[in-house]
Amino acid sequence: MKWSLKIRTEVKIVVALVGVSLLIAFGERKQNGIVCSNIVIELENAHENHFIDEADVLNILENSGQSIIGTSIDRLNLNILESQLKSDKHILDAELYGDVKGNLMVNVDLRRPIARLVRNDGPDAYIAEDGVVMSMSDKFSSRVLLITGAIVKPLIEAGDLYATEDGIKLMEMIHFINEDEFWKAQIAQVDFDSKGKAEIYPQMTGQLVEFGRLEDIEVKFKKLLIFYKEILPQRGWTKYDRVNVEFEGQVIAE
């Protein structure tokens, strides 16, 4: 009796597994025959990056060389479409998949600008959070830290700040400024001469800051903070035209 019960139980399990397998196979065959009837685009815009919109994404897809609408979703090369989208520097990542209703779902994650590269002999560009250089957009202008001077053109040509030593040091400085509420509010522009020395233009005080090369960044900002909090309140906010924190152990104000 026990053996009979055990056999019946095992038979039921086998039948259930076969049934599930058939349903999965049927579902896959059904989905494989689904024709794409619509493209649904979702932009991850948590940081209010409006450089590109749904129409731009759709335009990239339509110029990919694949006919999407009216084609079975399983016949679309989604990897190529994703690569095509990610070739736009404003796009950090893209994921495409089809649903059972015939929609091609397009999820796009946009890059976030953290600084702007300004130059006189060509169009400006933005630096993204991951160091990639993005082109300007006529749709949106982001209020971020301005980078000017001799360093700008080589960085734009490199296309990625982490590809050059100067770019790596600049990214360290930008992240330091943006991660501190005081410095982010205070610093408007960083300008570089041909020797790689930086000058900082503040938002709220009139002193030009001679920062020097991008070395010992945190130490120099600590000296500058002492100048703002201890020296200027005693001597007067308009007394000095410039302050130099370039040299070790010194703060020179003139």
Side-chain angles (χ1 to χ4, degrees), residues 6-7 25 38 53 78 86 111 130-131 133 151 173 187 189 207 229 238 247:
K6 183 177 180 182
I7 290 172
N38 190 31
D53 54 25
L78 300 185
K86 288 187 284 188
R111 282 191 166 91
D130 61 351
V133 176
I151 198 174
M173 183 184 201
I187 298 174
Q189 178 181 346
Q207 296 81 23
K229 289 192 172 184
T238 59
F247 305 106

Side-chain angles (χ1 to χ4, degrees), residues 9-253:
T9 303
E10 290 178 349
V11 168
K12 289 180 180 178
I13 293 172
V14 171
V15 170
L17 290 174
V18 170
V20 171
S21 299
L22 289 173
L23 286 172
I24 293 173
F26 177 75
E28 288 179 347
R29 285 198 299 272
K30 186 177 180 181
Q31 188 169 7
N32 285 344
I34 293 175
V35 172
C36 179
S37 58
N38 190 31
I39 300 174
V40 179
I41 299 170
E42 295 183 357
L43 296 181
E44 178 57 47
N45 227 358
H47 301 292
E48 298 184 353
N49 174 353
H50 303 286
F51 291 125
I52 63 173
D53 54 25
E54 288 85 352
D56 296 314
V57 174
L58 183 60
N59 185 59
I60 295 172
L61 293 173
E62 289 177 341
N63 289 282
S64 65
Q66 295 190 61
S67 179
I68 298 175
I69 301 295
T71 302
S72 296
I73 291 177
D74 63 300
R75 294 176 64 86
L76 295 173
N77 193 323
L78 300 185
N79 289 331
I80 289 180
L81 292 176
E82 289 175 358
S83 297
Q84 193 78 14
L85 288 171
K86 288 187 284 188
S87 66
D88 187 304
K89 297 302 182 183
H90 297 102
I91 296 176
L92 176 64
D93 198 11
E95 181 184 10
L96 281 70
Y97 60 91
D99 67 12
V100 294
K101 296 181 180 179
N103 295 313
L104 178 63
M105 306 299 296
V106 182
N107 294 331
V108 174
D109 189 9
L110 301 178
R111 282 191 166 91
R112 174 175 173 254
I114 58 173
R116 179 168 175 168
L117 296 167
V118 181
R119 59 177 179 172
N120 298 322
D121 59 347
D124 295 353
Y126 285 104
I127 302 170
E129 211 166 23
D130 61 351
V132 169
V133 176
M134 304 185 296
S135 62
M136 298 293 293
S137 169
D138 56 4
K139 291 184 171 67
F140 180 69
S141 180
S142 182
R143 296 186 64 181
V144 290
L145 177 68
L146 301 180
I147 307 297
T148 59
I151 198 174
V152 169
K153 187 175 181 180
L155 292 179
I156 292 177
E157 291 174 349
D160 185 343
L161 267 68
Y162 285 110
T164 69
E165 185 177 349
D166 287 340
I168 292 171
K169 291 179 179 178
L170 179 58
M171 284 297 290
E172 181 185 352
M173 183 184 201
I174 293 171
H175 282 305
F176 183 90
I177 293 171
N178 286 341
E179 289 169 6
D180 186 286
E181 290 186 9
F182 176 79
W183 294 123
K184 187 174 182 179
Q186 170 69 352
I187 298 174
Q189 178 181 346
V190 183
D191 185 69
F192 290 85
D193 66 16
S194 60
K195 296 180 180 179
K197 291 187 176 184
E199 292 182 335
I200 294 174
Y201 292 83
Q203 294 266 27
M204 295 173 287
T205 59
Q207 296 81 23
L208 175 68
V209 179
E210 297 174 343
F211 196 83
R213 299 187 65 84
L214 299 187
E215 299 167 350
D216 301 320
I217 291 173
E218 188 171 351
V219 173
K220 290 179 180 179
F221 274 113
K222 283 182 179 179
K223 291 194 295 183
L224 186 57
L225 188 62
I226 291 172
F227 174 76
Y228 284 147
K229 289 192 172 184
E230 297 182 12
I231 298 176
L232 285 184
Q234 295 180 12
R235 301 293 179 86
W237 291 93
T238 59
K239 180 176 178 61
Y240 303 106
D241 294 323
R242 62 180 61 233
V243 56
N244 187 304
V245 295
E246 178 180 0
F247 305 106
E248 185 177 355
Q250 297 182 49
V251 176
I252 304 170

Side-chain angles (χ1 to χ4, degrees), residues 1-11:
M1 190 68 177
K2 292 181 179 179
W3 283 104
S4 176
L5 180 60
K6 183 177 180 182
I7 290 172
R8 286 199 197 102
T9 303
E10 290 178 349
V11 168

